[in-house]
Amino acid sequence: MKQISLESIEKAIQKVDNLDDNSLDRMSETFAMAQENLLAYLMSAALEYENPNLEGLIIYYFCLILEAFNQEGVRLEKVSEEQIEAFEEPFFEMLDAYFDKEQAEVLEEFCDQPNLTQFMTMEISMKDDDGTELDDETATQLFIVSVAMISLLNKNIAA
C-alpha cells in the first residue's frame, strides 16, 4: 500500500486552508461526486451522533484527506456500499480493542496509514489557531469518523 507522506498532508493543508469559500465548495463537490457513498456514510455519523458541529468538521477533513491522497499522486477507486457494509463489523471490533485496551498498534494495523492517523490524533487534541478546541465528545466522534474514512480510502487505492 502507498503511504501518504507528511509532506503530502502538509501540502493538502496549505491548499485547503488557503481556498476561498467558492473554491472550497467546488473542491467539496468534486470530492463528494468522486466518493459519494463514502461521504454519505460519514455524514450519517453526524446524524447518528446528533452532533451538528460534526457535519462541518467531516466535510473539512473529507476534503483535506482526499487532497492528501491527491498530493501523494494516489488514485482511488470509488468506495462502494458493499465495502462499507463489510467494513463496519471489523471496524467496530477494532475500535473496541483500541478504546478498551488502548492498543494503538491495533489502530495503525487496521488503517495502514500511520501519518494520516497520527495527523488526525493531533488535530483532535490540539487547539485551533484561534485557541478553540473540540469538546471531548466531538473530538472522539471526529476521530472515529476520520479513522473510518482513512481506512476505507486506503482499501480503495487503485493498483
Side-chain angles (χ1 to χ4, degrees), residues 11 22 82 89 118 127 129 136 143 147 157 159:
K11 286 180 181 177
N22 288 337
E82 294 78 19
E89 187 176 333
Q118 290 170 358
K127 292 182 180 181
D129 292 339
D136 288 344
F143 183 72
V147 167
I157 292 175

Side-chain angles (χ1 to χ4, degrees), residues 2-3 23 33 60 68 83 102 117 121 134 136 138 145:
K2 176 82 171 156
Q3 297 295 310
S23 298
M33 290 179 70
Y60 173 78
Q83 287 173 311
E102 297 181 17
T117 305
T121 301
L134 297 174
D136 288 344
T138 300
V145 170

Side-chain angles (χ1 to χ4, degrees), residues 1-155:
M1 280 294 147
K2 176 82 171 156
Q3 297 295 310
I4 306 304
S5 68
L6 292 173
E7 180 182 355
S8 292
I9 296 168
E10 290 169 9
K11 286 180 181 177
I13 293 167
Q14 288 299 312
K15 182 171 181 176
V16 172
D17 285 355
N18 289 309
L19 293 174
D20 61 32
D21 288 343
N22 288 337
S23 298
L24 187 57
D25 285 345
R26 281 194 302 278
M27 174 186 266
S28 63
E29 286 174 21
T30 300
F31 286 149
M33 290 179 70
Q35 291 292 345
E36 60 189 328
N37 295 325
L38 177 60
L39 183 58
Y41 175 65
L42 301 173
M43 293 304 284
S44 71
L47 295 172
E48 193 172 308
Y49 288 130
E50 297 178 3
N51 186 345
N53 296 331
L54 196 55
E55 290 177 14
L57 292 167
I58 290 171
I59 296 291
Y60 173 78
Y61 286 104
F62 177 75
C63 289
L64 195 135
I65 290 170
L66 280 166
E67 183 57 33
F69 278 89
N70 282 349
Q71 290 293 328
E72 193 67 40
V74 173
R75 194 174 67 76
L76 296 165
E77 301 290 338
K78 193 173 200 166
V79 176
S80 71
E81 290 181 20
E82 294 78 19
Q83 287 173 311
I84 292 169
E85 287 176 29
F87 166 82
E88 285 188 314
E89 187 176 333
F91 177 64
F92 290 118
E93 288 173 4
M94 181 278 302
L95 286 177
D96 287 343
Y98 176 74
F99 284 116
D100 292 345
K101 300 173 185 133
E102 297 181 17
Q103 296 176 334
E105 63 276 358
V106 171
L107 177 70
E108 289 176 14
E109 287 174 18
F110 190 85
C111 287
D112 199 26
Q113 285 293 341
N115 292 329
L116 281 171
T117 305
Q118 290 170 358
F119 165 72
M120 286 308 302
T121 301
M122 290 184 337
E123 282 291 293
I124 64 166
S125 61
M126 293 175 27
K127 292 182 180 181
D128 283 347
D129 292 339
D130 63 3
T132 60
E133 60 185 319
L134 297 174
D135 62 83
D136 288 344
E137 187 175 330
T138 300
T140 300
Q141 293 166 353
L142 178 59
F143 183 72
I144 291 168
V145 170
S146 62
V147 167
M149 177 182 359
I150 293 165
S151 298
L152 283 162
L153 290 171
N154 188 59
K155 292 176 189 314

